[in-house]
Amino acid sequence: MSAVFTTVLVANRGEIACRIIATLRKLGIRSVAVYTDADRDALHVQRADRAVRVGSYLSIEDVVTAAQDADAVHPGYGFLSENADLARACEAAGIVFVGPGVKALEVMGDKIRAKEHVSAAGVPVIPGSSTADAEAADRVGYPLLVKPSAGGGGKGMTVVERPQDLADALAGARRVAAAAFGDDTLLLERLVRAPRHIEVQLLADEHGNVIHLGERECSLQRRHQKVIEEAPSPLLDEPTRARIGAAACEVARSVGYVGAGTVEFLVSDEAPTEFFFMEMNTRLQVEHPVTELVTGLDLVEWQLRVAAGEPLTVTQADVVLTGHAIEARVYAEDPARDFLPSAGTVLVLDEPTGDGIRVDSALRAGLVIGSAYDPMLAKVVAWAPDRTTAVARLDAALARTTILGVRTNVGFLRQVLADPDVRAGRLDTDLLARLIPTLNFLSPDDRHLVAAALSRHEVREGAWGSDGWRLGEPRPIRYEDVSVLGDTVSVRDGDPVPARLVRRGPDAVDLELDGVVHPLRLVSDGSVTWVGDQGSAVELRFRTRVERLADELSVLTRGTRPVDPQVRSPMPGTVVSVEVATGDSVVAGQTLLTIEAMKMEHRVVAPSDGIVTLTVRPTDQVALDHVVATISGHPDEGTPA
């Protein structure tokens, strides 16, 4: 291998760039990373043998220029990974593109053309239309799914239940598709109720060999974005597994596919022997580690070998699925705030290790998590001889995962794994939508409040000294809802209980509260203290005495006004559209503007009726809680009748 490829440029970022670099290092191949200004201190830059600055990960010119001294370009997933123009540019520059040929990229990169192509090849497809308008929607029938023709990852996909919702759905999907993929072409597809999302991993070489590596179950999704994936699927029996694998191979042969690819199918839970082609992803998938763990194959290595012209030495008969693997995606998002993307600096990081545990990550302590890119931070994967043990191992690994300084979904992932339907393998793509409203996201309890207060108290006592004198009896010192007096604390003015904080390290503590010891992680950053507890994290803000007095005064002066007139951004991001103008009369719930962050859109609505005054314009960058508008009463409010 190293005699064929000496240097490979990795045209990606984050955990997938780190994962590709790891295989390149194993094979003795020199790696070149690319980075933007926002990623100057990223982990993939540190791990590569060399790194080149680019203006954008979506710039073909920048990528090819950076690869001038490389033999090949590996695009990872997302960005330019399924872009036929990049493949052409690499060929023109004499650089190998680690991916399929232009024909496969063009046919399968267009969902409309792909469905027509595989249908002609005899593979079953879901009814749909390549025309996205009201007339076509009526032909397809409701409910239906609006999908961008280009790209993947669920971006821009919208369920439309009623004809009156179609126009807004088309406008939003086009905007997301144009921003994420540079192509706003849409298609319509009949929505299959309670479907399961099952995909088949393929390997193919330029010598005509095509094999499949079994399937992955990817039904646990939120807003069409995969959250937890596993291999093999708990639904399929062996005959269906063979049939769906053969169908996937037929799809690959029909376009002369070369490399690693994935064919995605919808399978009805009510009819598990039937399946419908959805799309083909002509690249490595985010969830490829579960396939690697059950097959023992390194998919990145085989991508490189096939790209170098080597034939597959693995036959279909050699592919044996051993045990079960399950993966959870760790996102920078806040489940308690409708999963809005979050930003911050990683202050404390613990990533799990142990038998059967794998972590693909780009995290490091001190890393700044911004809002410019996709919110996925890492993947935690577990393997075991059986599914029950694999799920338990993954849950235990997530409990040992600590990320303080930025809000994540780790606690949410543990709640999902605890659900009886998930444990039993009773899955469908709507399961999380039904489950999420029933979950109780972690809020600070007495342990977290007391640990944070005692940590603050340590600093205070250290500053004042412990042997100074005071007039009169000692008085409790208050830290928000916790009062500390000697070796006791009271929470929310309750009865005093014994409490002690024992340091096990700079950010590891044992909290002994009323005779019970709680191991916790703890770190302070200015006025904020983060507490890590079994994979979850809480963020506690401690006000100064001046700030508390100001807040109390604000409550008094605000009186009984029910709604704050200031409308704030729920996340850091970019204003992509404004639906109203200053001076307009609006009603509660009306959309004012749309903010995009990490390829996700969020509509900001009016909290009350009134006259709107905007403080932002399209393309403006906003921070979390930035005031984007104010709502004032109508001019005639309060006028006597």
Side-chain angles (χ1 to χ4, degrees), residues 45 68 89-90 124 127 130 172-173 181 247 343 350 445 447 468 487-488 497 518 565 569 593:
V45 175
Q68 285 183 345
C90 286
S130 58
F181 314 119
D350 285 333
D445 62 20
R447 295 169 299 158
D487 293 330
T488 65
V497 295
H518 306 277
S569 173
L593 50 93

Side-chain angles (χ1 to χ4, degrees), residues 506-523:
D507 45 53
V509 300
D510 285 333
L511 170 67
E512 186 177 342
L513 179 63
D514 202 13
V516 179
V517 176
H518 306 277
L520 301 170
R521 304 304 296 274
L522 198 65
V523 66

Side-chain angles (χ1 to χ4, degrees), residues 386-401:
D386 58 85
R387 185 177 187 272
T388 299
T389 306
V391 171
R393 277 186 176 176
L394 179 58
D395 180 61
L398 291 170
R400 301 194 303 274
T401 301

